[in-house]
Amino acid sequence: MNIIFKIDTWQEIYYSLKNNKLRTFLTMIGVGWGMFLFVALLGAAKGMENGFDKVFSGFATNSIFLWAQNTTIPYDGFPKGRKMDLHLSDLELLPQKIKEIDYISPQTSRGKFGTPGESFSRNGKNATYTLTGDFPVGNKISEKNLIFGRYINDADISGNKSVIVIGEEIYKNLFDAKKNENPIGQSINVKGVFFNVIGVFRVKKTGGPDNDQESFIPFTTYSKMYNEGDKVGFFAIVGKPDADLSLLEDQIKTELKTKYNVSPDDTNAFGSFNLGKEFGKLTGFLTGMQLLTITVGSLTILAGVIAISNILLITVTERTKEIGIRRALGAKPAEVRNQILLESVVITLSSGLIGFMLGIFLLMILNLITKDQDAFPFYNPTVNYGQVFGAMAIMVVLGLIVGMIPAQRAVKIRPIEALRSE
């Protein structure tokens, strides 16, 4: 392939493309557009994946939320319609029976699941917000983005302390947020009880399990406040990394039905939401989007490469006399073939590089636009350069393959016939 290193070869390619500017441009559009789509769509799909990862950052996505309801089937002498409850004693039972459980966070709330919120007041300001009794482990389920102070700790639980962690909206309504007033150590009246603020958290605008009108107090304090003993409103149960969450959900309900004498066929006694299973569907959707992007981009590139072959066929026909002269002057068939193949590779590679740069430029613009916004799950759109350069290599190989058709046609032209052509 010494032809590659000859300056005459590149001059011929340059003048050939220069003399057919419009045709060359139209030919390059197909491959360039395909590479542009490939890079832009692949980056956009990754941006969505990064966006959802950002939304759920600090949150245990392999979680199952479980709560008690009413029975619908009579069983073991108990009538149907029996109201069920969860208890702190279940915290020991479930992990002993089911080894796939990593940890459990019990919570009880006012202001969730259709229950009325609780009255908050401070310095003449009154409002109703969600109040939740929680354990420190609850922050492992959904890590709070604290802008002031800390979260509930074990000392708060064991001491039944009157401390509270509030959302940013509560802070803005009850304190002078414009002057950045420090709320730590100050008191809020909740249902006639004064609580010292120990923390303020902020939630993402894209949503998530928490909201900024929610507050958290020690679970033991909550239980005494409402005289609920060891009753639990719901469990957030986190499975181990390799656990089958659908199977785990069924096992948990089976153990609770056995403990509380509930019919094995009763599907209403305990309600649940399997976040891990739903998150798996989302992950599958994003993976499918990336595969679809790769497929669409690859097919578009292939269509562009085939177009290059068709254009080169026309070019060979128009250059029949030129090829005949070169053959008559002693050019070998391999030199003519390599000349056409090189033109095909140059057009293909140039088109791909232009499409690649335009795609990266678009992703840079999208990154600047979405960098500091939380209203939509889209963040840091990037591409896997291995995939891109792999597609580029395949594109060049395809350019060589489809270039063989016009190249072989050029080789078959006999010098005498070529010189006679008009």
Side-chain angles (χ1 to χ4, degrees):
M1 294 292 287
N2 291 331
I3 187 174
I4 296 177
F5 304 103
K6 292 181 179 180
I7 191 171
D8 292 344
T9 302
W10 295 102
Q11 287 177 340
E12 287 183 28
I13 291 175
Y14 171 74
Y15 286 114
S16 173
L17 299 180
K18 181 181 178 182
N19 293 332
N20 297 278
K21 294 179 182 177
L22 180 60
R23 181 184 301 158
T24 302
F25 174 73
L26 294 175
T27 304
M28 293 176 70
I29 284 179
V31 176
W33 178 248
M35 181 54 72
F36 171 79
L37 279 180
F38 185 82
V39 172
L41 294 178
L42 197 62
K46 186 63 178 178
M48 288 190 66
E49 181 180 342
N50 291 339
F52 280 107
D53 286 342
K54 185 179 177 182
V55 170
F56 288 98
S57 63
F59 188 76
T61 54
N62 57 332
S63 303
I64 299 170
F65 294 89
L66 183 135
W67 57 91
Q69 301 182 147
N70 295 325
T71 61
T72 55
I73 299 175
Y75 185 74
D76 199 23
F78 292 98
K80 69 176 182 178
R82 179 164 50 110
K83 185 179 182 302
M84 305 304 300
D85 289 305
L86 297 173
H87 298 85
L88 289 176
S89 58
D90 301 328
L91 291 176
E92 297 180 4
L93 171 71
L94 293 176
Q96 287 178 358
K97 296 285 187 178
I98 307 171
K99 301 305 180 184
E100 288 77 15
I101 293 177
D102 196 0
Y103 53 89
I104 303 176
S105 170
Q107 291 186 357
T108 303
S109 294
R110 290 287 193 279
K112 283 185 176 180
F113 313 115
T115 60
E118 196 53 82
S119 175
F120 285 55
S121 64
R122 180 178 182 271
N123 295 341
K125 299 177 181 178
N126 296 277
T128 300
Y129 299 110
T130 300
L131 181 68
T132 299
D134 198 10
F135 281 85
V137 70
N139 205 36
K140 293 174 65 176
I141 301 288
S142 176
E143 186 177 358
K144 308 299 183 292
N145 178 22
L146 293 167
I147 56 177
F148 289 103
R150 64 173 177 84
Y151 197 65
I152 297 164
N153 60 27
D154 291 331
D156 299 326
I157 296 292
S158 59
N160 300 327
K161 293 184 179 180
S162 297
V163 293
I164 189 168
V165 180
I166 60 175
E168 187 176 24
E169 186 64 27
I170 302 176
Y171 164 69
K172 289 179 178 178
N173 289 345
L174 300 182
F175 294 88
D176 193 347
K178 291 182 180 179
K179 293 183 179 180
N180 202 31
E181 181 181 3
N182 189 348
I184 304 303
Q186 300 197 47
S187 297
I188 295 177
N189 188 314
V190 181
K191 197 190 175 188
V193 179
F194 285 94
F195 284 82
N196 288 328
V197 177
I198 59 171
V200 178
F201 65 90
R202 175 181 292 159
V203 299
K204 302 180 182 74
K205 294 180 181 178
T206 43
D210 300 319
N211 64 75
D212 55 11
Q213 297 189 28
E214 188 170 6
S215 62
F216 296 86
I217 63 175
F219 188 93
T220 50
T221 306
Y222 184 99
S223 297
K224 277 194 170 186
M225 189 173 173
Y226 293 98
N227 195 28
E228 292 194 351
D230 70 340
K231 289 183 182 178
V232 176
F234 65 94
F235 287 140
I237 304 170
V238 178
K240 292 183 177 178
D242 57 347
D244 182 334
L245 294 180
S246 295
L247 178 61
L248 179 59
E249 182 180 5
D250 293 337
Q251 290 176 330
I252 292 168
K253 289 183 178 181
T254 299
E255 291 298 334
L256 290 174
K257 288 176 183 177
T258 301
K259 177 181 178 181
Y260 292 108
N261 294 315
V262 176
S263 169
D265 299 323
D266 196 328
T267 58
N268 191 72
F270 299 100
S272 61
F273 175 72
N274 195 326
L275 178 64
K277 185 164 64 175
E278 299 304 318
F279 192 76
K281 292 178 182 179
L282 174 62
T283 303
F285 169 73
L286 294 175
T287 302
M289 276 191 60
Q290 290 185 337
L291 291 175
L292 179 63
T293 295
I294 293 173
T295 302
V296 171
S298 300
L299 291 176
T300 307
I301 291 173
L302 178 61
V305 171
I306 292 174
I308 289 177
S309 174
N310 293 331
I311 293 297
L312 288 176
L313 280 172
I314 298 173
T315 301
V316 167
T317 302
E318 291 181 348
R319 295 167 60 188
T320 299
K321 191 170 185 177
E322 173 195 331
I323 293 171
I325 293 173
R326 290 183 61 194
R327 292 291 303 279
L329 292 176
K332 298 178 181 179
E335 292 178 348
V336 176
R337 180 191 302 112
N338 292 339
Q339 172 79 22
I340 301 299
L341 288 175
L342 201 53
E343 285 188 26
S344 175
V345 171
V346 167
I347 294 174
T348 304
L349 192 57
S350 301
S351 306
L353 288 173
I354 292 172
F356 170 75
M357 289 187 290
L358 290 175
I360 292 296
F361 181 68
L362 176 63
L363 293 180
M364 290 173 63
I365 293 175
L366 288 176
N367 187 45
L368 287 174
I369 294 173
T370 60
K371 187 175 181 180
D372 298 320
Q373 64 86 32
D374 290 325
F376 183 74
F378 190 88
Y379 175 72
N380 191 25
T382 56
V383 292
N384 185 319
Y385 287 105
Q387 292 177 333
V388 173
F389 290 125
M392 195 88 73
I394 294 172
M395 184 178 64
V396 172
V397 172
L398 289 174
L400 281 171
I401 294 173
V402 300
M404 285 296 296
I405 300 173
Q408 284 300 111
R409 181 170 179 176
V411 168
K412 290 180 180 179
I413 297 176
R414 298 175 63 182
I416 297 298
E417 295 175 356
L419 291 172
R420 289 175 181 171
S421 67
E422 295 296 333

